[in-house]
Structures are given as C-alpha cells and as structure tokens.
Amino acid sequence: MLDIETVPDLDAARLLLGFGPGAPREEVRAALTEHCRRPGQADDAIFIKPILQKVAAISVILCHRMHGQGPWEVELLQTRHTGDLSERDVLERLDRLMGERPQTAKQPCIVGWNTSGFDLPVLRFRVVATRLRAPNLTFRQPSDMPDWKWEKERGSRPPHDYWKRYADCHLDLMEVLANWSSGPRCKLVEIAAALGLPGKAGGVEGSMVETMVEEGRIEEVGRYCEGDVGLLFGVWLRYQLSCGQLDNQAHALSWRSFARCVRSRAVPFDHLQPLLDVADEEARLAGFIPAEPALA
C-alpha cells in the first residue's frame, strides 16, 4: 500500500513564473494558483500540477502471503516525512523498500488510490528533480525485451515496471473500480464510507496539508498520511474479498495482522484507533473474539 502527501513547490514556481528570490511567499503562491487555474475554475477547485508539487510525507504498508488465498501478513507500517529527513532521503528510503523482499524473494506490488494519476508521477518527477538514483521506482522494461527473452538472456525475471498502466505489479484501485474510464471515479474517503469504514484520520483533509506543513505540524501530516494508507488497506481487503481472493476468515485474519503490526510499534497509534476498531469487529464477526453479551 502506498500513499503520499505533497505541498506546492514554490522554488520551482519562482523560476517558472519569473519571481526573484526575495519575492513574498504569498505572492508566489497566488501566482502559482493562477498559473494552474482552468477557465472559470473556483479557487477551491484548482489543482496544482504534479510537476509543481514536492513530497512532504510517504506512508507504506508492506504485506505478503505465502499460500494462495490465505490471509495477508502485515510486516511493516512505516511513515517518513520531511520533518525528519530531506525530501531526497524520504524518496531514497522508499526506493529501497521497493527492492526485492526477503520474505518473498520478489519486489512488492504497489496498491494505491489514484497512484497512476498522482502519486507515481509526483514521485518520478521528484526523483529526477532531486538527482536521486532510484532504479526500483523508475525501471522501464525495454519493449523489445519481453519477460521470456529477459529470463532467457539474464537468467532471472525482469524487475517490476511500475510505469505500465495495466501491469499486475501496480494496482490503482480507483482506476480499477472505475474500469479505467473517465466516468464513475470517487475519493478514497467516499468509497470508505460506502464500505462502512472510518473517515479521514483526525478530520484532516488533503487541502489542509499545505497549511499544516507551513505551521510546522509535519508530524500531524505524517499521521494523516498513515491513516490514509490504513484506510486504503481496508478498501483493498474488501476488494479482494469481493473478487474471491480472500474468504471471510482470511479477510478477518488480514485485519488482525494489521492490528498486530500497529500495536507492536513503539509509537502512539491513537490516529489509527478507528481502524483497529474495525479489525476487532472483523475478528468478532469471524468468531475469533467472543461477542459481548447483550445487556438485560
């Protein structure tokens, strides 16, 4: 699972829009808004292009399963943000995580929400902008080197090519559920509500991230990002259940593994408590936790 939080890249905006280094931040930000405005677009509908964003936080959940339709084992829930590391270091650590995993001897597949349209383009742009060598994130399989030929000539399967839109190594749940059309797309929080899952952590919305970073509340941004990736995990489990990739018991055990991972970390997890409540409820429905007796 992958989720990122970003803020506008005002250094790039200064160069693009002809501002000097001493120009007030507010003036540069207002000009960037106008640069990205479409005809007739209201201020709250303006979207800053991915090329003009930079990474503030990245959250990932790494999980694997060893047997067919068995439960997923969550091995890692991790968040890195620019309050502790440079943006380049945050990206570099993500690229390392995208390498071959010892538990499976394979690279992880990416599951995300609008990762094709936003997260992965931003990550690639920022890898280039920060002069980072990130072979796991940026590998592109040559068109004249199909899998069979790569294996024959190099003795191993090719690395994951996350650029491919329909590749098995990258599942953009938003696009899959919309059948890759421009029609019935929705926000993560909307499908979560439809599935009975909790909303955004702490009532934070993505539109608030820029202000939070400006105010030095980057730790809160990290927790918000982590809440989103946990919510994504829940939506993905339900999708797997509907596709027959999990049965009810494996679904509940996957939630239990998530809860175990969260509770084992030496960091506060109050922002994830609504998701832990879901995990406990799934365990009760599956019979792993006895139901509470009804009050007389």
Side-chain angles (χ1 to χ4, degrees), residues 43-109:
D43 285 356
D44 59 359
I46 295 171
F47 178 72
I48 305 301
K49 299 175 182 179
I51 187 62
L52 296 172
Q53 304 252 16
K54 60 183 180 180
V55 172
I58 298 176
S59 291
V60 298
I61 292 175
L62 284 178
C63 55
H64 68 278
R65 63 178 177 179
M66 305 302 295
H67 306 290
Q69 296 181 347
W72 290 92
E73 292 292 330
V74 178
E75 60 189 85
L76 178 71
L77 168 59
Q78 184 181 92
T79 298
R80 301 292 187 187
H81 57 68
T82 53
D84 294 331
L85 300 166
S86 69
E87 182 190 21
R88 189 177 191 275
D89 286 343
V90 171
L91 293 166
E92 193 274 334
R93 294 191 183 204
L94 174 64
D95 187 67
R96 270 193 274 160
L97 283 177
M98 301 310 296
E100 187 175 289
R101 306 302 299 165
Q103 292 84 351
T104 61
K106 298 177 182 178
Q107 285 181 269
C109 299

Side-chain angles (χ1 to χ4, degrees), residues 161-206:
D161 183 348
Y162 299 115
W163 299 75
K164 293 181 179 178
R165 190 175 190 185
Y166 306 108
D168 291 338
C169 62
H170 173 213
L171 180 70
D172 184 337
L173 267 177
M174 187 190 77
E175 289 221 350
V176 170
L177 291 172
N179 197 28
W180 290 279
S181 74
S182 58
R185 300 187 179 195
C186 62
K187 296 180 179 180
L188 177 62
V189 68
E190 292 172 334
I191 189 170
L195 301 183
L197 297 173
K200 297 281 189 174
V204 176
E205 293 288 341

